[in-house]
Amino acid sequence: MKDKKKIKWGIIGLGNIANQFADDLMLVQDAEIVAVASRDLEKAQGFAEKYNCKKAYATYDEIFADDEVEILYIATPHNSHASLAIKALQSNKHVLCEKPIALCFSDAFQMIEASKKNNKFFMEAFWTRFNPSVREAFYKIKNGEIGEIKYINADFAFQAEELEGNRMTDLKLGGGALLDIGVYPLFLSYLMLGIPKEMAAKSNFHKSGADLQTSMILQYDNAQAVLHSSFLSSSNMKATISGSKGIINLNSPWFMTESYTLIKDNKKLKYKLPTKGKGFTYEIEECHKCINENKIESTLWSHQNSLDLIKIVDEVRNQIGLEFPL
Ligand SMILES: NC(=O)c1ccc[n+]([C@@H]2O[C@H](COP(=O)([O-])OP(=O)(O)OC[C@H]3O[C@@H](n4cnc5c(N)ncnc54)[C@H](OP(=O)(O)O)[C@@H]3O)[C@@H](O)[C@H]2O)c1
């Protein structure tokens, strides 16, 4: 059988998630890493060697200028997503940009305008949207399996080992629990129920001004979501979607789950869907599908979905008084 044409990836920002993502990229048959870029040449060379990639750059500009790179994965801190994604799109590259799409709605809007103007695929890397259990549970919920959704409870919380001197509490880099992990429970509520009518939120803050934990209530016409994100203490990381006819639990850790449980009619059924790799494989495959079909956005996680989600995040920020320096 003839091999499928490989899609040529570049990666910038070679930190924690770039390594995990590259591990999964190696599992996708028609993916190939052709170039990586770091602010540090040695780091880039080490990464390139680990993933059998032939080009390692010491500046991000060099990877933008590399015509072999078809799609760029941006894995840098939040404050740089917008400028780097726009540059990449203007350099004729498709873009998969880590979550959150940007610091605010207006930056995200410009990124999407750049995708349209340059006719290049762009997607926020919301990998949970492509998780097999989340997809199947969502499908069942949309088809009425648990009736009308009345309540969602989801969190993303862990006790951070070190909060000082890293991007998590650095406001200049778009730090804070809300943008780092609070976007996950907000994503789930948005996916299931759409844009809320009203929101309330409260936070505890680091001395830098970044939020250390944020709790949110999202109010819908006939439903509520109670959501939480924290760097201060751990949670069960299970998500519950409760409807008029039953409950679906996305089992822990729900944002990268390998199973979900349906509780209905006095029965409890567990559905197991093991992920390929850690689960980044599915968003990678979605990028390939869209690129091969000449689409500039995914229907599963569209430009509008990212814009809606960042608008919700903006409203939470407004409620808790979290501002990023210009
Ligand atoms: N999808 C997920 O599951 C997941 C999980 C964790 C994080 N993320 C997201 O991925 C992005 C990166 O997070 P991470 O945990 O990988 O962060 P990280 O370990 O700190 O890595 C970020 C990388 O960005 C580059 N960078 C560019 N400008 C920087 C600056 N001013 N300060 C620090 N680093 C800078 C650095 O790479 P070079 O030195 O190579 O240039 C750094 O290694 C964020 O958007 C985060 O929300 C997603």
Side-chain angles (χ1 to χ4, degrees), residues 12-18 20 37-40 43-44 60 73-81 84 98-100 125 127 156 167 173 179-181 184 255 280 283:
I12 59 173
L14 307 180
N16 161 41
I17 205 62
Q20 296 185 42
S38 169
R39 298 160 307 163
D40 171 343
K43 191 176 169 191
Y60 296 168
Y73 170 59
I74 297 174
T76 56
H78 310 153
N79 65 312
S80 58
H81 289 178
L84 293 174
E98 259 309 332
K99 40 59 54 179
W127 63 317
F156 193 143
R167 69 165 186 84
L173 301 182
L179 262 74
D180 211 56
I181 49 181
Y184 282 94
F255 56 89
F280 297 107
E283 66 178 0

Side-chain angles (χ1 to χ4, degrees), residues 103-122:
L103 289 184
C104 61
F105 178 87
S106 60
D107 285 357
F109 186 80
Q110 287 177 44
M111 294 158 90
I112 283 160
E113 286 300 297
S115 162
K116 290 181 187 157
K117 191 166 170 214
N118 295 285
N119 197 29
K120 288 281 144 187
F121 173 76
F122 171 80

Side-chain angles (χ1 to χ4, degrees), residues 62 68 82 105-106 108 114 142 147 151 168 190 193 198 204 212 223 229 289 291 293 303 310:
E62 285 169 89
E68 197 188 2
F105 178 87
S106 60
K142 286 290 147 191
Y151 172 66
M168 284 154 68
Y190 167 68
L193 289 166
E198 283 176 79
N204 294 116
L212 289 175
S229 56
K289 183 170 175 285
I291 291 168
E293 291 173 2
H303 290 173
I310 197 67

Side-chain angles (χ1 to χ4, degrees), residues 17-29:
I17 205 62
N19 278 276
Q20 296 185 42
F21 181 86
D23 286 342
D24 269 14
L25 212 134
M26 305 304 275
L27 303 175
V28 180
Q29 216 195 350

Side-chain angles (χ1 to χ4, degrees), residues 73-317:
Y73 170 59
I74 297 174
T76 56
H78 310 153
N79 65 312
S80 58
H81 289 178
S83 59
L84 293 174
I86 290 169
K87 261 194 203 170
L89 291 160
Q90 289 171 343
S91 309
N92 211 30
K93 298 185 181 353
H94 306 293
V95 170
L96 177 67
C97 178
E98 259 309 332
K99 40 59 54 179
I101 181 171
L103 289 184
C104 61
F105 178 87
S106 60
D107 285 357
F109 186 80
Q110 287 177 44
M111 294 158 90
I112 283 160
E113 286 300 297
S115 162
K116 290 181 187 157
K117 191 166 170 214
N118 295 285
N119 197 29
K120 288 281 144 187
F121 173 76
F122 171 80
M123 189 171 82
E124 179 186 18
F126 233 110
W127 63 317
T128 305
R129 177 64 184 92
F130 306 98
N131 172 285
S133 299
V134 173
R135 277 184 79 164
E136 193 170 293
F138 179 57
Y139 181 79
K140 285 189 177 166
I141 290 166
K142 286 290 147 191
N143 282 294
E145 186 78 51
I146 61 167
E148 192 183 357
I149 301 174
K150 298 292 180 193
Y151 172 66
I152 292 178
N153 179 216
D155 55 24
F156 193 143
F158 61 92
Q159 193 166 16
E161 279 171 24
E162 186 54 84
L163 285 168
E164 306 308 319
N166 68 30
R167 69 165 186 84
M168 284 154 68
T169 51
D170 188 338
L171 268 196
K172 289 195 296 302
L173 301 182
L178 173 65
L179 262 74
D180 211 56
I181 49 181
V183 291
Y184 282 94
L186 286 172
F187 152 81
L188 188 70
S189 190
Y190 167 68
L191 180 70
M192 298 292 166
L193 289 166
I195 299 170
K197 238 173 97 179
E198 283 176 79
M199 278 176 256
K202 288 281 180 198
S203 301
N204 294 116
F205 292 94
H206 186 263
K207 59 180 181 298
S208 67
D211 64 308
L212 289 175
Q213 62 177 356
T214 293
S215 293
M216 301 157 273
I217 300 177
L218 273 54
Q219 178 75 18
Y220 296 86
D221 275 338
N222 294 306
Q224 290 184 329
V226 177
L227 314 173
H228 175 69
S229 56
S230 179
F231 293 148
L232 295 178
S233 63
S234 304
S235 71
N236 292 326
M237 299 244 216
K238 184 178 83 177
T240 298
I241 302 123
S242 184
S244 53
K245 292 184 188 159
I247 296 171
I248 282 188
N249 287 324
L250 299 172
N251 297 319
S252 181
W254 72 266
F255 56 89
M256 54 180 288
T257 188
E258 296 195 292
S259 70
Y260 68 94
T261 304
L262 171 67
I263 306 166
K264 192 180 169 182
D265 302 331
N266 296 318
K267 283 197 283 269
K268 199 172 178 176
L269 278 171
K270 186 168 179 176
Y271 297 86
K272 291 185 186 167
L273 291 104
T275 56
K276 179 156 81 175
K278 212 166 174 191
F280 297 107
T281 45
Y282 305 103
E283 66 178 0
I284 295 166
E285 285 165 357
E286 177 69 5
C287 292
H288 287 195
K289 183 170 175 285
C290 293
I291 291 168
N292 287 328
E293 291 173 2
N294 294 318
K295 288 182 175 166
I296 65 161
E297 63 179 318
S298 161
T299 47
L300 292 177
W301 192 243
S302 68
H303 290 173
Q304 189 59 47
N305 290 148
S306 290
L307 287 175
D308 287 347
L309 183 60
I310 197 67
K311 205 167 209 172
I312 294 170
V313 175
D314 278 1
E315 175 55 27
V316 176
R317 280 208 300 120

